[in-house]
Amino acid sequence: MEHKSSMANGGKPIRCRAAVCQKAGEALVMEEILVAPPMAYEVRIRIICTSLCHTDVKYWKMKDPPGIVPRILGHEAVGEVESVGDQVSEVKQGDIVIPTFLAECGECRDCTSNKSNICSEHPYKLSQGMPRCGTSRFTDLSGEVLHHFMFVSSFSEYTVVDVTHLIKLDPILISPDKACLLGCGVSTGVGAAWRTANLEKGSTVAIFGLGTVGLAVAQGARICGAERIIGIDINPDKLTMAKKCGVTEFVNSRSIGDKSVSQVIIEMTDGGADYCFECVGLSSLIKEAFACCRKGRGKTILFGVEDSVSVLGLKSIDVISQGKTVIGCIYGGLKPKSDIPTLIQWYLDKKWIGEL
């Protein structure tokens, strides 16, 4: 399909293809759609490559709000700027960019603080449209509105993203197929060890779940100087990759007999890990992670739960009397525009083990 440049397009809608979620849990439908031109502070980009995150799968299955259809999913991507709206000077036509679901305006109280990564001017929310006005830039050919996802919607050949959600990228330094992983999973894991936990050299770490985020936590923990990195998973086939990413010990939670995972970790670490990362999003594993972080100073870092109404199930007396800390983590505590360049530099300096 031929795609016109922004100059030839003259600020008109672009007709392109997208994978649309029409019904929860059913196969995405490839169809032609219209992508409106960018409004003020917005950028229309041509998606070069995109990857699949578990969060996409989670909301694809979701039948009740905040799940909604029809919707264009996808939030890990790299794209090329096709056109920009008014008030956009940070990027121009032809620039390569990473869109992120988290904004960084660089000016608000929280963006200028080193204590938060959630922009107070454009806070993260599960919006169905653009962050400033809530309206959609997608319609099908009959005019029906197609909803956005996490301010990115990368399962389309073209999308529109607010400029506060874009990071300019030099494609010579890192290829787009690797850089797109920095839109969520890899950044979340590495950032969790680096920024959220502020993990120090010589620490003992336990990671529950060795998917993309868990392996990225291992990378971040190794870069920060952790001495022991214990990976917990039900799939022993992940061991080889886990070791490449920095995991020093592996626990198969299906091969520990009558003991709980927390008991095994406490025994292995003589009292508990300094940092426990729960990367699966199961309330049962959150309890286990909290149980095996060290009393008096241990930190349990959480990335998600089964659904928005799940409760942690931790006894208040345990949290108080054991002196442990539970920390919620979004995007690894990273400020996208400020911190992603550091992750790219680490990649160039070969601090990463293996490939992204």
Side-chain angles (χ1 to χ4, degrees):
M1 181 179 297
E2 181 181 355
H3 302 299
K4 299 178 181 179
S5 69
S6 60
M7 292 182 64
N9 203 51
K12 298 178 181 179
I14 283 181
R15 181 168 173 167
C16 67
R17 294 173 300 173
V20 182
C21 179
Q22 292 286 1
K23 292 185 179 180
E26 294 189 8
L28 304 184
V29 180
M30 288 298 300
E31 57 184 86
E32 292 193 353
I33 67 165
L34 293 175
V35 183
M39 298 179 68
Y41 302 101
E42 296 176 359
V43 179
R44 185 162 60 185
I45 63 177
R46 177 182 66 86
I47 296 297
I48 296 173
C49 63
T50 185
S51 54
L52 178 68
C53 176
H54 184 73
T55 303
D56 297 310
V57 177
K58 173 183 175 180
Y59 283 92
W60 166 67
K61 293 179 179 178
M62 198 174 291
K63 296 181 179 180
D64 300 313
I68 189 171
V69 294
R71 189 178 223 170
I72 299 175
L73 299 167
H75 64 286
E76 290 185 339
V78 167
E80 178 185 4
V81 174
E82 179 271 338
S83 58
V84 302
D86 292 340
Q87 308 298 320
V88 175
S89 59
E90 190 174 330
V91 297
K92 64 183 184 305
Q93 181 187 6
D95 284 344
I96 305 301
V97 292
I98 302 174
T100 60
F101 67 88
L102 207 62
E104 184 182 350
C105 75
E107 299 176 350
C108 70
R109 179 178 180 181
D110 289 305
C111 283
T112 56
S113 166
N114 61 5
K115 296 182 178 180
S116 173
N117 71 325
I118 300 178
C119 176
S120 49
E121 286 296 314
H122 308 286
Y124 172 71
K125 55 187 175 182
L126 286 169
S127 173
Q128 302 169 13
M130 298 298 295
R132 296 175 193 262
C133 62
T135 58
S136 177
R137 301 292 171 268
F138 302 117
T139 56
D140 64 17
L141 297 187
S142 65
E144 182 181 0
V145 169
L146 304 173
H147 302 292
H148 289 243
F149 181 63
M150 295 180 71
F151 304 133
V152 177
S153 291
S154 59
F155 291 175
S156 172
E157 290 180 322
Y158 285 86
T159 188
V160 178
V161 180
D162 192 276
V163 69
T164 58
H165 291 257
L166 290 176
I167 304 160
K168 191 173 177 179
L169 175 71
D170 185 345
I172 296 177
L173 299 180
I174 180 172
S175 63
D177 63 322
K178 294 179 173 59
C180 71
L181 298 175
L182 297 172
C184 185
V186 169
S187 297
T188 296
V190 174
W194 173 37
R195 290 297 195 196
T196 302
N198 194 21
L199 194 152
E200 69 274 3
K201 187 176 181 179
S203 300
T204 297
V205 174
I207 304 170
F208 288 74
L210 297 176
T212 299
V213 173
L215 293 175
V217 170
Q219 293 265 26
R222 182 193 56 78
I223 291 171
C224 291
E227 183 176 339
R228 298 179 68 186
I229 303 173
I230 305 169
I232 302 106
D233 205 284
I234 60 175
N235 185 357
D237 293 338
K238 294 182 179 180
L239 177 58
T240 301
M241 178 60 72
K243 285 186 175 180
K244 288 182 180 179
C245 291
V247 170
T248 59
E249 298 154 80
F250 180 81
V251 174
N252 183 342
S253 56
R254 287 181 172 172
S255 302
I256 55 177
D258 296 331
K259 293 183 179 180
S260 65
V261 174
S262 58
Q263 286 177 304
V264 172
I265 301 302
I266 289 171
E267 291 175 3
M268 290 175 66
T269 58
D270 191 26
D274 300 313
Y275 300 93
C276 291
F277 297 85
E278 201 288 310
C279 306
V280 181
L282 294 176
S283 56
S284 58
L285 286 184
I286 291 172
K287 292 179 183 178
E288 287 291 283
F290 178 79
C292 66
C293 73
R294 200 166 194 86
K295 293 180 180 180
R297 67 171 192 252
K299 293 182 180 180
T300 302
I301 293 88
L302 312 180
F303 295 91
V305 290
E306 298 106 311
D307 56 65
S308 58
V309 297
S310 294
V311 295
L312 298 182
L314 303 176
K315 294 181 180 179
S316 57
I317 187 63
D318 290 339
V319 177
I320 296 169
S321 64
Q322 295 181 24
K324 302 177 180 181
T325 303
V326 179
I327 307 174
C329 174
I330 183 168
Y331 201 58
L334 300 180
K335 295 178 185 291
K337 295 177 188 287
S338 299
D339 291 328
I340 293 305
T342 299
L343 299 192
I344 293 174
Q345 189 59 51
W346 286 353
Y347 175 77
L348 297 175
D349 293 342
K350 301 189 184 302
K351 288 188 177 182
W352 301 97
I353 296 177
E355 294 286 344
L356 281 176

